Amino acid sequence: EVQLLESGGGLVQPGGSLRLSCAASGFIFSSYAMSWVRQAPGKGLEWVSGIRGSGDSTYYADSVKGRFTISRDNSKNTLYLQMHSLRAEDTAIYYCAKDRASSSCYDYWGQGTLVTVSS
Amino acid sequence: QSVLTQPPSASGTPGQRVTISCSGSSSNIGSEPVNWYQQLPGTAPKLLIYSNNLRPSGVPDRFSGSKSGTSASLAISGLQSEDEADYYCSTWDGSLSAVVFGGGTKLTVL
């Protein structure tokens, strides 16, 4: 059974940093691209970043480029999102999602972790 | 504003057929497959339709997808109360080099 478990969310001040983790199980982690997708309170879904299975290619939304870094440790079956220079508008539930077949189509999602940026 | 345009709301009565539209451009829907997600209140999104019109295992055949040109549609037939949720279309945008989502459509079952 595929499972994705996010952690690392919390309250952080504007300008601060946070690292999210997503522990994956139930599939060959290194074979699949992964992404982070966020949802601000009461708003729609917004893709944040993606990474190929090998980790050799990464992609970012313009809204986070230069501030966020996606990475993965295939030996630990874990996906990461390092977030710097956080802003109030980064407040959201952050979901990690498994790409079905490198097609930007997400067949499994975690339960999400809440990041709140506030003073 | 979202790159993909969806109506903010839709509604229907039990047993009816409803459709939700998703409009894009040549750099996204016009050249890439469209996926649809269902998000029940307080839960993570769930893949409903992929590659325009394919259903993952376990998704009822009441749900169907289609695409024509730079627009796509999700149809739900035999509407049920448990279909009340938010629905999102999504695809890759080659110009942005990013995954894009529609703004979401809140479906109400009257």
Side-chain angles (χ1 to χ4, degrees):
Chain A
E1 178 193 5
V2 171
Q3 290 194 335
L4 299 172
L5 186 62
E6 301 96 336
S7 60
L11 175 64
V12 61
Q13 291 189 337
S17 299
L18 210 56
R19 188 177 85 154
L20 306 183
S21 299
C22 172
S25 62
F27 63 102
I28 302 174
F29 184 67
S30 60
S31 295
Y32 293 91
M34 300 289 294
S35 280
W36 289 96
V37 177
R38 69 185 179 183
Q39 186 169 35
K43 302 297 184 182
L45 302 174
E46 180 189 15
W47 176 81
V48 173
S49 181
I51 185 169
R52 289 193 180 179
S54 61
D56 60 350
S57 294
T58 56
Y59 308 87
Y60 298 92
D62 286 344
S63 58
V64 306
K65 205 170 291 184
R67 301 187 300 122
F68 291 11
T69 302
I70 190 172
S71 63
R72 63 193 298 160
D73 185 335
N74 287 343
S75 69
K76 295 182 178 179
N77 290 351
T78 302
L79 176 72
Y80 303 100
L81 185 68
Q82 178 68 54
M83 304 184 293
H84 294 297
S85 303
L86 284 161
R87 307 165 180 166
E89 53 265 36
D90 295 317
T91 294
I93 296 173
Y94 284 73
Y95 297 101
C96 75
K98 170 187 169 290
D99 195 308
R100 184 181 164 276
S102 297
S103 57
S104 304
C105 165
Y106 307 116
D107 55 356
Y108 290 93
W109 298 65
Q111 86 291 344
T113 186
L114 177 62
V115 172
T116 302
V117 184
S118 174
S119 54
Chain B
Q1 283 82 345
S2 302
V3 173
L4 304 180
T5 301
Q6 297 180 235
S9 64
S11 63
T13 56
Q16 265 191 332
R17 181 179 188 270
V18 298
T19 61
I20 296 172
S21 62
C22 177
S23 177
S25 67
S26 59
S27 64
N28 43 66
I29 293 178
S31 53
E32 300 288 342
V34 177
N35 311 301
W36 290 89
Y37 300 91
Q38 176 192 59
Q39 187 176 32
L40 298 170
T43 69
K46 168 191 169 184
L47 181 62
L48 201 62
I49 296 288
Y50 67 97
S51 294
N52 304 325
N53 56 11
L54 301 179
R55 285 186 308 276
S57 173
V59 173
D61 59 7
R62 302 186 297 104
F63 295 91
S64 62
S66 64
K67 186 180 96 167
S68 178
T70 59
S71 294
S73 291
L74 172 70
I76 308 172
S77 60
L79 198 61
Q80 300 180 2
S81 58
E82 56 259 41
D83 297 333
E84 193 159 281
D86 293 324
Y87 293 85
Y88 296 90
C89 58
S90 178
T91 187
W92 175 259
D93 189 298
S95 293
L96 298 174
S97 292
V99 174
V100 291
F101 285 92
T105 298
K106 183 176 183 61
L107 175 63
T108 301
V109 181
L110 302 170

